[in-house]
Amino acid sequence: MHEQSWPSGAATGIGSMPGTDAAEAAAVVFGELPEFPYLPELPARGVGADLIGRTAALLVDIAVDVAPTGYRVTQRPGHRHRRAVDLLRWDFDSLQEAQQRAGARPSVLKTQLAGPWTLAAGIELARGHRVLTDRGAVRDFADSLLEGLAAHVHELATRTGAQVVVQFDEPSLPEVLAGSLPTASGYGTVDSVPAPEARELLSTVISGAERLTGQRVVVHCCAPRPPVALLRAAGAGALALDATLLDGAPARLLDEFGEAWDSGTVFLLGLVPSTRPAPPGSSPDLHQLAEPALRLADRLGFARSILAERAVPTPTCGLAGAEQDWMRRALALARDLGKAFVEPPEGW
C-alpha cells in the first residue's frame, strides 16, 4: 500500500461544484483546501461536463456522442465529444492559472473520473444496449480508460508540480451488483454482475492507476450501504463515502469498515452537508458535523485519534447543487474539521 502524500488534518472535496466558471471554482478550491486541492467538475455546463461525459473525453480510440437516451458509442468523435475534450482542457488552464495566482504548491492534487462499472452502466453501445451488457466491451472501456488516464495524470502533474491522486466515482456500482439497472427498453433490468467479476475489473483499474501515480487510489460511493469489503479487496487505498448515512448501519457493514480501517485504509468521510442546511441562515457547528465520525470511531472501538491518522473530512457528496456561498462555507468547514481531528477542541 502506498503511503499518503497529503498531510494529517487535510480536507478535500468530492469533485463537483456549482456554476459554470472554471476559473472561479479553481480559485475557491485553492483558497479553501490548500493542502489537498482537486480539479473541479462543473456539470452545470451541460453535455460533456457531467461525470460520464467528462470521463468519456479521456477515452482512447473510443468515441462517445449523445443519443436521445444518453451517451452512446459512435464511430468517430462528434462535436459533443470534442466539446467535452475542450472543457477538460479549459479546466486544466483554469486550474494552472488559479494555482499560480494563489502561489500554491500542494504536495498532492486530486482528480475524479467515473469508475469502470459506472462508466459501463452510463454509456450505450451503438445498438442501444448498455456497455454493461457486453463483458468484452466493458474490458475494452476499462483498458481505454487507463490509457487515457495516463495522459491525464501526466498533464496534471506537469502543469501543477503536484503528485496526482485518482478518485474513481462508482455511484452505479450498488445497482450493477444488485441487477437493478433498467434495460434499454425499460421493461427489464440488466443482469447483475457477480461480486468476484466486479472486484477483478476494479482491481485491474485501481492497480493501473496506482502504477501511474504512486499514490493511494480513492473509490467514491455515497450509497447508504457501500460495498466496503469489495472495494477494499479490489485494492482501494482510500474510500470516500457519506458518513452521515452510517448511523443504523448493519453490523456486517460496520465490521467491514472496522477491518478496512484497521488494515490501513483511509476514509474520506462525508460530514459537511452538500447543500445549505435548513432553516436559512443556520449553520451547524463543528462538533455537530464531527459527531458521525466520533460515533463511528467509538462504535468500532478505535481511539478517536484514528481520525487524524486515517480520515479526511469532505462534504457528504458533490457540491453541484449548492449555492455559491454555501459551497465556499462547506469547503471551509471541511478544512476546519480536518484541523480539529488533529487538535480536538476542548470538550471533544
Side-chain angles (χ1 to χ4, degrees), residues 94-128:
S94 297
L95 185 80
Q96 187 175 14
E97 291 167 7
Q99 181 190 15
Q100 291 170 350
R101 285 196 301 271
R105 300 184 64 85
S107 58
V108 293
L109 183 138
K110 182 165 68 72
T111 186
Q112 308 80 215
L113 58 155
W117 291 112
T118 292
L119 190 65
I123 296 177
E124 299 173 353
L125 296 166
R127 60 184 180 273

Side-chain angles (χ1 to χ4, degrees), residues 236-300:
L239 301 179
L241 47 81
D242 184 344
T244 67
L245 301 178
L246 292 177
D247 283 343
R252 176 192 57 77
L253 179 58
L254 291 177
D255 287 345
E256 292 177 6
F257 202 111
E259 290 167 5
W261 231 351
D262 195 43
S263 71
T265 303
V266 172
F267 279 85
L268 278 63
L269 296 179
L271 295 166
V272 182
S274 296
T275 55
R276 188 191 305 278
S282 67
S283 181
D285 66 37
L286 215 55
H287 187 260
Q288 288 176 316
L289 294 173
E291 281 181 346
L294 301 176
R295 287 196 298 269
L296 182 64
D298 293 345
R299 290 177 69 187
L300 297 177

